[in-house]
Amino acid sequence: MPQITARINRFVRLATVVLAAAAGLLIGGADLQARTLVKNICHIKGQEENTLQGLGLVVGLKGTGDSAGSAPTIRSLARAIQLMGTPVGKRGQLDPKADVKNVALVLVTATVPAAGCRQGDTLDCTVSSIGGAKSLLGGELFITALQGPQVDSQRVYAFAQGAIHLDDPKVFPTRGTVFKGCRMEEDFFNQFIKDGKITLVLDKDHADFQVSQDVAELINGQLGFQTRSGELAHAINQQNIEVVIPSQYREKPVSFISQVLSLPMLDPQTEARVVINERAGSIVIGGDVEIGNVNITHKNMVIEAGTAQAGATGPNPSHFVPIDTGPVPAPKLKALVETLNTLKVPTDDVIEIIKGIERDGKLHGDLIIQ
């Protein structure tokens, strides 16, 4: 039986703490597995956020704008004045030495949610200085055209304008937000059906070949009767599952997609992980994370994690000869951490011990340090 044993030496005294595997290391076959829905672990390809962007001007600054003679700012200001119907100079240009300290050239971005937007909807937009401005405090964004991503990069989807609210005036004086300052001028929708198919994309924390195959088999088992072949879905790789929309749903694909996303399934078993946030001092351990046989010496303690063998000697020898001589499950990291907590080992030391186990190759899982 896997055990975690700690020997604490203080002067001549010897104290032993033993945690049996039956309590914390083995998962009984009768335990109920958690269940979830397909939509909780994936999304439909095409249903992602998009960014609209454009170059604009912030006006009304109190001498904290771009430096005098800033060519990009002067050209942008001249263009803005022309668009307002006011002639600029003999050649449509401002004096190249013009003072633009009350103006700042900025990058304006707005995020369109995954579900898209309709004409007339408003979004928050972010404004960031790209010139020599010292601060955008008190400024107002001059009306700015926001263009679409990639293929539609030259297509104007929205206009942004309004007073700028700095996120942190002392730390980031050249970055701010215009709340509800972006107004959509066109509908923005993502296409999620291609060639009569949809693609399910597993979230990065659930991306796994087995999970991908499980989802495909679930869809085929529950909805495959709607086609003669019985095959609606097949896993392309560890993250993408392609699903054919049955002919009876071609005119109403949303109904079919809702059925797919609402299918119940067992909580997916992905790669065992340990996530440590050193700044917060938190340790998140998957219940299935195992460790190999290790001996850990920490200050006045010796921690042994491994399998107690019949006939073993020492302070905690096994008193029983096992009938089942088959493979014995490895100890769980969770039980080791619980033991360390019982011994009041500081969190920082627990984290270092886990790192040491990982470096020794005895951590049977992925260690993620944040």
Side-chain angles (χ1 to χ4, degrees), residues 171-224:
V171 181
F172 298 107
T174 57
R175 184 179 185 276
T177 303
V178 181
F179 296 106
K180 302 297 182 181
C182 172
R183 184 180 187 277
M184 299 297 298
E185 297 300 325
E186 289 193 34
D187 293 339
F188 191 110
F189 293 117
N190 293 314
Q191 295 296 324
F192 54 89
I193 300 175
K194 185 177 181 180
D195 299 329
K197 303 175 183 177
I198 61 171
T199 300
L200 300 178
V201 182
L202 292 173
D203 300 336
K204 65 176 183 178
D205 293 330
H206 293 102
D208 182 88
F209 284 105
Q210 186 59 55
V211 176
S212 181
Q213 183 61 32
D214 289 344
V215 172
E217 292 178 355
L218 174 67
I219 295 172
N220 289 330
Q222 296 293 322
L223 304 175

Side-chain angles (χ1 to χ4, degrees), residues 122-357:
T122 56
L123 303 170
D124 295 343
C125 57
T126 300
V127 179
S128 304
S129 171
I130 58 176
K134 296 179 181 179
S135 175
L136 300 181
L137 182 64
E140 181 163 341
L141 178 65
F142 187 78
I143 187 166
T144 303
L146 301 185
Q147 299 172 331
Q150 299 178 359
V151 177
D152 293 332
S153 60
Q154 300 303 315
R155 185 175 178 181
V156 175
Y157 279 94
F159 287 96
Q161 65 177 352
I164 298 174
H165 301 268
L166 297 188
D167 302 330
D168 192 332
K170 294 182 178 180
V171 181
F172 298 107
T174 57
R175 184 179 185 276
T177 303
V178 181
F179 296 106
K180 302 297 182 181
C182 172
R183 184 180 187 277
M184 299 297 298
E185 297 300 325
E186 289 193 34
D187 293 339
F188 191 110
F189 293 117
N190 293 314
Q191 295 296 324
F192 54 89
I193 300 175
K194 185 177 181 180
D195 299 329
K197 303 175 183 177
I198 61 171
T199 300
L200 300 178
V201 182
L202 292 173
D203 300 336
K204 65 176 183 178
D205 293 330
H206 293 102
D208 182 88
F209 284 105
Q210 186 59 55
V211 176
S212 181
Q213 183 61 32
D214 289 344
V215 172
E217 292 178 355
L218 174 67
I219 295 172
N220 289 330
Q222 296 293 322
L223 304 175
F225 66 90
Q226 298 182 19
T227 62
R228 294 181 179 179
S229 64
E231 291 289 333
L232 287 176
H234 75 274
I236 300 175
N237 52 36
Q238 72 269 40
Q239 191 171 24
N240 297 277
I241 304 101
E242 194 173 75
V243 185
V244 177
I245 299 177
S247 57
Q248 59 266 43
Y249 285 102
R250 293 292 168 83
E251 300 300 323
K252 46 182 180 179
V254 173
S255 177
F256 173 72
I257 293 173
S258 67
Q259 294 181 52
V260 171
L261 296 180
S262 298
L263 290 175
M265 62 180 296
L266 294 177
D267 198 15
Q269 299 299 308
T270 55
E271 181 183 15
R273 297 188 184 99
V274 182
V275 181
I276 293 177
N277 188 320
E278 294 185 292
R279 289 171 296 179
S282 63
I283 305 172
V284 180
I285 304 172
D288 54 352
V289 178
E290 298 177 343
I291 57 176
N293 297 341
V294 292
N295 292 329
I296 303 166
T297 301
H298 177 72
K299 297 181 180 179
N300 63 337
M301 296 178 292
V302 177
I303 300 102
E304 297 177 352
T307 305
Q309 300 293 335
T313 60
N316 289 285
S318 173
H319 299 291
F320 302 94
V321 176
I323 297 176
D324 184 3
T325 59
V328 179
K332 304 287 186 180
L333 177 63
K334 177 183 177 183
L336 172 61
V337 172
E338 289 176 349
T339 301
L340 295 173
N341 289 334
T342 300
L343 299 174
K344 297 183 178 180
V345 176
T347 301
D348 290 343
D349 292 352
V350 174
I351 292 175
E352 290 303 317
I353 289 173
I354 294 176
K355 288 181 179 179
I357 295 174

